mmCIF file with all atom_site columns, all heavy atoms in Angstrom:
data_model
loop_
_atom_site.group_PDB
_atom_site.id
_atom_site.type_symbol
_atom_site.label_atom_id
_atom_site.label_alt_id
_atom_site.label_comp_id
_atom_site.label_asym_id
_atom_site.label_entity_id
_atom_site.label_seq_id
_atom_site.pdbx_PDB_ins_code
_atom_site.Cartn_x
_atom_site.Cartn_y
_atom_site.Cartn_z
_atom_site.occupancy
_atom_site.B_iso_or_equiv
_atom_site.pdbx_formal_charge
_atom_site.auth_seq_id
_atom_site.auth_comp_id
_atom_site.auth_asym_id
_atom_site.auth_atom_id
_atom_site.pdbx_PDB_model_num
ATOM 1  N N   . ASP A 1 57 ? 13.985 11.306 10.198 1.00 0.00 ? 57 ASP A N   1
ATOM 2  C CA  . ASP A 1 57 ? 15.024 11.514 11.211 1.00 0.00 ? 57 ASP A CA  1
ATOM 3  C C   . ASP A 1 57 ? 14.687 10.625 12.396 1.00 0.00 ? 57 ASP A C   1
ATOM 4  O O   . ASP A 1 57 ? 13.527 10.561 12.813 1.00 0.00 ? 57 ASP A O   1
ATOM 5  C CB  . ASP A 1 57 ? 15.053 12.974 11.674 1.00 0.00 ? 57 ASP A CB  1
ATOM 6  C CG  . ASP A 1 57 ? 15.453 13.920 10.552 1.00 0.00 ? 57 ASP A CG  1
ATOM 7  O OD1 . ASP A 1 57 ? 16.331 13.553 9.748  1.00 0.00 ? 57 ASP A OD1 1
ATOM 8  O OD2 . ASP A 1 57 ? 14.866 15.016 10.468 1.00 0.00 ? 57 ASP A OD2 1
ATOM 9  N N   . VAL A 1 58 ? 15.685 9.932  12.943 1.00 0.00 ? 58 VAL A N   1
ATOM 10 C CA  . VAL A 1 58 ? 15.447 9.021  14.066 1.00 0.00 ? 58 VAL A CA  1
ATOM 11 C C   . VAL A 1 58 ? 16.278 9.470  15.255 1.00 0.00 ? 58 VAL A C   1
ATOM 12 O O   . VAL A 1 58 ? 17.486 9.703  15.130 1.00 0.00 ? 58 VAL A O   1
ATOM 13 C CB  . VAL A 1 58 ? 15.785 7.563  13.693 1.00 0.00 ? 58 VAL A CB  1
ATOM 14 C CG1 . VAL A 1 58 ? 15.305 6.620  14.796 1.00 0.00 ? 58 VAL A CG1 1
ATOM 15 C CG2 . VAL A 1 58 ? 15.157 7.173  12.361 1.00 0.00 ? 58 VAL A CG2 1
ATOM 16 N N   . LEU A 1 59 ? 15.614 9.567  16.407 1.00 0.00 ? 59 LEU A N   1
ATOM 17 C CA  . LEU A 1 59 ? 16.227 10.134 17.609 1.00 0.00 ? 59 LEU A CA  1
ATOM 18 C C   . LEU A 1 59 ? 16.051 9.160  18.767 1.00 0.00 ? 59 LEU A C   1
ATOM 19 O O   . LEU A 1 59 ? 14.936 8.701  19.028 1.00 0.00 ? 59 LEU A O   1
ATOM 20 C CB  . LEU A 1 59 ? 15.494 11.449 17.907 1.00 0.00 ? 59 LEU A CB  1
ATOM 21 C CG  . LEU A 1 59 ? 15.722 12.166 19.220 1.00 0.00 ? 59 LEU A CG  1
ATOM 22 C CD1 . LEU A 1 59 ? 17.129 12.745 19.259 1.00 0.00 ? 59 LEU A CD1 1
ATOM 23 C CD2 . LEU A 1 59 ? 14.690 13.282 19.385 1.00 0.00 ? 59 LEU A CD2 1
ATOM 24 N N   . ALA A 1 60 ? 17.141 8.814  19.457 1.00 0.00 ? 60 ALA A N   1
ATOM 25 C CA  . ALA A 1 60 ? 17.043 8.019  20.692 1.00 0.00 ? 60 ALA A CA  1
ATOM 26 C C   . ALA A 1 60 ? 16.979 9.003  21.850 1.00 0.00 ? 60 ALA A C   1
ATOM 27 O O   . ALA A 1 60 ? 17.959 9.702  22.138 1.00 0.00 ? 60 ALA A O   1
ATOM 28 C CB  . ALA A 1 60 ? 18.232 7.085  20.828 1.00 0.00 ? 60 ALA A CB  1
ATOM 29 N N   . ALA A 1 61 ? 15.830 9.062  22.518 1.00 0.00 ? 61 ALA A N   1
ATOM 30 C CA  . ALA A 1 61 ? 15.545 10.159 23.450 1.00 0.00 ? 61 ALA A CA  1
ATOM 31 C C   . ALA A 1 61 ? 15.723 9.795  24.908 1.00 0.00 ? 61 ALA A C   1
ATOM 32 O O   . ALA A 1 61 ? 15.690 10.678 25.763 1.00 0.00 ? 61 ALA A O   1
ATOM 33 C CB  . ALA A 1 61 ? 14.113 10.640 23.226 1.00 0.00 ? 61 ALA A CB  1
ATOM 34 N N   . GLY A 1 62 ? 15.878 8.505  25.194 1.00 0.00 ? 62 GLY A N   1
ATOM 35 C CA  . GLY A 1 62 ? 15.943 8.088  26.591 1.00 0.00 ? 62 GLY A CA  1
ATOM 36 C C   . GLY A 1 62 ? 14.670 7.376  27.016 1.00 0.00 ? 62 GLY A C   1
ATOM 37 O O   . GLY A 1 62 ? 13.649 7.452  26.333 1.00 0.00 ? 62 GLY A O   1
ATOM 38 N N   . VAL A 1 63 ? 14.753 6.712  28.153 1.00 0.00 ? 63 VAL A N   1
ATOM 39 C CA  . VAL A 1 63 ? 13.619 5.892  28.636 1.00 0.00 ? 63 VAL A CA  1
ATOM 40 C C   . VAL A 1 63 ? 12.685 6.745  29.500 1.00 0.00 ? 63 VAL A C   1
ATOM 41 O O   . VAL A 1 63 ? 13.133 7.524  30.341 1.00 0.00 ? 63 VAL A O   1
ATOM 42 C CB  . VAL A 1 63 ? 14.153 4.683  29.434 1.00 0.00 ? 63 VAL A CB  1
ATOM 43 C CG1 . VAL A 1 63 ? 13.024 3.965  30.152 1.00 0.00 ? 63 VAL A CG1 1
ATOM 44 C CG2 . VAL A 1 63 ? 14.884 3.720  28.493 1.00 0.00 ? 63 VAL A CG2 1
ATOM 45 N N   . GLY A 1 64 ? 11.396 6.557  29.277 1.00 0.00 ? 64 GLY A N   1
ATOM 46 C CA  . GLY A 1 64 ? 10.382 7.217  30.097 1.00 0.00 ? 64 GLY A CA  1
ATOM 47 C C   . GLY A 1 64 ? 9.774  8.426  29.414 1.00 0.00 ? 64 GLY A C   1
ATOM 48 O O   . GLY A 1 64 ? 10.359 9.013  28.493 1.00 0.00 ? 64 GLY A O   1
ATOM 49 N N   . PRO A 1 65 ? 8.583  8.816  29.869 1.00 0.00 ? 65 PRO A N   1
ATOM 50 C CA  . PRO A 1 65 ? 7.856  9.900  29.195 1.00 0.00 ? 65 PRO A CA  1
ATOM 51 C C   . PRO A 1 65 ? 8.507  11.266 29.329 1.00 0.00 ? 65 PRO A C   1
ATOM 52 O O   . PRO A 1 65 ? 8.366  12.108 28.430 1.00 0.00 ? 65 PRO A O   1
ATOM 53 C CB  . PRO A 1 65 ? 6.473  9.877  29.869 1.00 0.00 ? 65 PRO A CB  1
ATOM 54 C CG  . PRO A 1 65 ? 6.672  9.165  31.165 1.00 0.00 ? 65 PRO A CG  1
ATOM 55 C CD  . PRO A 1 65 ? 7.800  8.204  30.948 1.00 0.00 ? 65 PRO A CD  1
ATOM 56 N N   . ALA A 1 66 ? 9.212  11.519 30.427 1.00 0.00 ? 66 ALA A N   1
ATOM 57 C CA  . ALA A 1 66 ? 9.811  12.851 30.601 1.00 0.00 ? 66 ALA A CA  1
ATOM 58 C C   . ALA A 1 66 ? 10.946 13.060 29.608 1.00 0.00 ? 66 ALA A C   1
ATOM 59 O O   . ALA A 1 66 ? 10.994 14.087 28.909 1.00 0.00 ? 66 ALA A O   1
ATOM 60 C CB  . ALA A 1 66 ? 10.306 13.012 32.044 1.00 0.00 ? 66 ALA A CB  1
ATOM 61 N N   . ALA A 1 67 ? 11.864 12.086 29.517 1.00 0.00 ? 67 ALA A N   1
ATOM 62 C CA  . ALA A 1 67 ? 12.972 12.193 28.551 1.00 0.00 ? 67 ALA A CA  1
ATOM 63 C C   . ALA A 1 67 ? 12.425 12.254 27.129 1.00 0.00 ? 67 ALA A C   1
ATOM 64 O O   . ALA A 1 67 ? 12.908 13.027 26.288 1.00 0.00 ? 67 ALA A O   1
ATOM 65 C CB  . ALA A 1 67 ? 13.924 11.001 28.710 1.00 0.00 ? 67 ALA A CB  1
ATOM 66 N N   . ALA A 1 68 ? 11.398 11.430 26.868 1.00 0.00 ? 68 ALA A N   1
ATOM 67 C CA  . ALA A 1 68 ? 10.818 11.396 25.517 1.00 0.00 ? 68 ALA A CA  1
ATOM 68 C C   . ALA A 1 68 ? 10.206 12.741 25.161 1.00 0.00 ? 68 ALA A C   1
ATOM 69 O O   . ALA A 1 68 ? 10.405 13.262 24.048 1.00 0.00 ? 68 ALA A O   1
ATOM 70 C CB  . ALA A 1 68 ? 9.765  10.296 25.441 1.00 0.00 ? 68 ALA A CB  1
ATOM 71 N N   . ALA A 1 69 ? 9.464  13.336 26.099 1.00 0.00 ? 69 ALA A N   1
ATOM 72 C CA  . ALA A 1 69 ? 8.812  14.626 25.827 1.00 0.00 ? 69 ALA A CA  1
ATOM 73 C C   . ALA A 1 69 ? 9.842  15.721 25.650 1.00 0.00 ? 69 ALA A C   1
ATOM 74 O O   . ALA A 1 69 ? 9.748  16.540 24.719 1.00 0.00 ? 69 ALA A O   1
ATOM 75 C CB  . ALA A 1 69 ? 7.853  14.969 26.965 1.00 0.00 ? 69 ALA A CB  1
ATOM 76 N N   . ALA A 1 70 ? 10.841 15.760 26.541 1.00 0.00 ? 70 ALA A N   1
ATOM 77 C CA  . ALA A 1 70 ? 11.837 16.834 26.471 1.00 0.00 ? 70 ALA A CA  1
ATOM 78 C C   . ALA A 1 70 ? 12.617 16.767 25.165 1.00 0.00 ? 70 ALA A C   1
ATOM 79 O O   . ALA A 1 70 ? 12.829 17.787 24.495 1.00 0.00 ? 70 ALA A O   1
ATOM 80 C CB  . ALA A 1 70 ? 12.783 16.739 27.676 1.00 0.00 ? 70 ALA A CB  1
#
Side-chain angles (χ1 to χ4, degrees):
D57 295 322
V58 190
L59 169 70
V63 170

